[in-house]
Amino acid sequence: MMGFGPVVAEMDEPVFHGGWEARVLANVIATQAIGWWSGDASRFARESLNPGYYLTHSYYEIWLAALENILRAQNLVADDEITAGHALREARKPERVFEAANVTSALRRGWPSERETNTSAQFSVGQKVRAKNMHPTTHTRLPRYARGRVGVVEAIRGCHVFPDANAHGRGPDPQWVYNVRFTARELWGPDADPRNSVTVDAFEPYLEPA
Amino acid sequence: MPHDHDHDHEHGHGHDHDHEFSELSDVALRVRALETVLAEKGLIDPAALDVIVDTYETRVGPRNGARVVARAWSDSAFKARLLEDGAKAIAELDYGGRGGEHIAVVENTADTHNMVVCTLCSCYPWPVLGLPPVWYKSAPYRSRAVIDPRGVLADFGVTLPEETQIRVWDSTSEMRYLVLPARPEGTDGWSEERLAELVTRDSMIGVGLPLKPGASA
């Protein structure tokens, strides 16, 4: 999608534009840390918002709307409770809550996506590959502009949790990830600068030999 | 930008009847309501949320990345490790974790300029740059960085030589990117602390260049 105009940077931008933004971020991190849904599911919830809403609301409004949708779908919070500002019924209890004493070490450790594997990578560095022409309605991390285009594998990133499966509760289903470089001309046509390129990290199921 | 933190009514210090910013107030109230419900149901610990907020407001930000860059400028062995495995080398400075479990560092050279974007959402190397600015997450940047990087650089007041190739890195997996800008001339013998003062956040995203000696941040 194009036509959004220039990139406008805010001078002396604060980390959060008001305390509510900070609380949205923290609520998203803390509820996700329970382990009932993944970060990939959260991303899918955001990108599944109505496009009109997505394009006209701020980042943390998008995060809030997506979190509410997840909480509704998980039967954890209902609209009347948000309206009331209080819990009106019980929700299932997590095995563990993200506790203050554990936050710093958990954030420092993070949630690495790389996984051990006994499979071998299907593609090799230097190989030409084509990004598949695919348009799933479920979550995917293959950008539209790369679909159907030919690039070259520049690096192998290891085997990582596959967002396309993990976002939908189908488990980590680890897949090899390749750093694939596309020339600007391959992506955008003959008017593009012949020197420039765009590189994406593509999961193996996104690629086929070219 | 639509939100001005001066008008945040979240804590309701007697400003609840200011209708000029009622939309923002509604959002803040809604977030407070949601958090209350989650806490009452035992799904969150509000004190944990305070720690999360404090982490990203005061402890994790672009000064971390600046220290990484300054070390790479000062220590060629560290730079080699950094380019080999970004996250592993960055951990030597005790930075890492959420939003940066896997980090690749890409080096600007005499003929190559690197620029980082996440066209699909907002992926950004949190442990070294903190949370992304609004423009990084905005439709203009996400849509144009890949197709018109020179135009985007112009929006930031940056003009590169015609012959410079621009490599755009779209953060589509959990691999996050940090740009290693070129060390400014005239900084021979500078300490890491002094060098770090020249490293701007934007230069580590690739939409800016480091400050020159004598310029103030």
Side-chain angles (χ1 to χ4, degrees), chain A residues 108, chain B residues 63-65 67-68 87 90-97 127-128:
Chain A
R108 176 63 184 81
Chain B
R63 299 329 299 161
N64 293 5
R67 290 188 194 102
V68 171
I90 286 165
E92 294 177 30
L93 286 83
D94 200 23
Y95 306 138
V128 279

Side-chain angles (χ1 to χ4, degrees), chain A residues 98-119:
Chain A
F98 201 45
E99 288 176 340
N102 299 330
V103 169
T104 299
S105 59
L107 294 177
R108 176 63 184 81
R109 196 166 52 244
W111 288 264
S113 62
E114 191 165 9
R115 294 290 182 272
E116 296 286 327
T117 182
N118 48 23
T119 66

Side-chain angles (χ1 to χ4, degrees), chain B residues 73 184 187 197-200 203 209-217:
Chain B
W73 285 346
T187 58
E197 296 292 315
L198 300 179
V199 184
T200 64
S203 73
L209 300 171
L211 301 175
K212 292 187 168 67
S216 57

Side-chain angles (χ1 to χ4, degrees), chain B residues 99-115:
Chain B
E101 292 87 350
H102 311 281
I103 299 178
V105 178
V106 291
E107 182 186 16
N108 287 350
T109 61
D111 62 4
T112 301
H113 181 87
N114 297 285
M115 184 189 295

Side-chain angles (χ1 to χ4, degrees), chain A residues 7 10 13 19-20 23 43 59 68 76 81 86-87 107-108 111 113 141 145 157 196-197 199 201, chain B residues 1 8 24 30 35 40-41 48 50 97-98 101-102 122 134 142-143 155 166 168 170 172 174 177:
Chain A
V7 181
E10 180 183 345
E13 182 178 337
W20 71 271
R23 302 311 282 190
R43 284 191 187 128
Y59 186 72
E68 287 182 11
L76 294 171
E81 296 178 304
H86 288 287
L107 294 177
R108 176 63 184 81
W111 288 264
S113 62
R141 297 294 295 178
Y145 65 79
R157 298 299 196 197
N196 294 353
S197 63
T199 301
D201 286 310
Chain B
M1 292 300 120
D8 175 18
L24 175 57
R30 190 173 182 87
E35 183 173 327
E40 288 176 355
K41 294 193 177 203
D50 295 342
R98 193 185 198 282
E101 292 87 350
H102 311 281
S122 54
V134 168
R142 287 167 53 190
S143 61
D155 290 345
I166 302 177
V168 180
D170 192 356
T172 56
E174 291 306 317
Y177 289 91

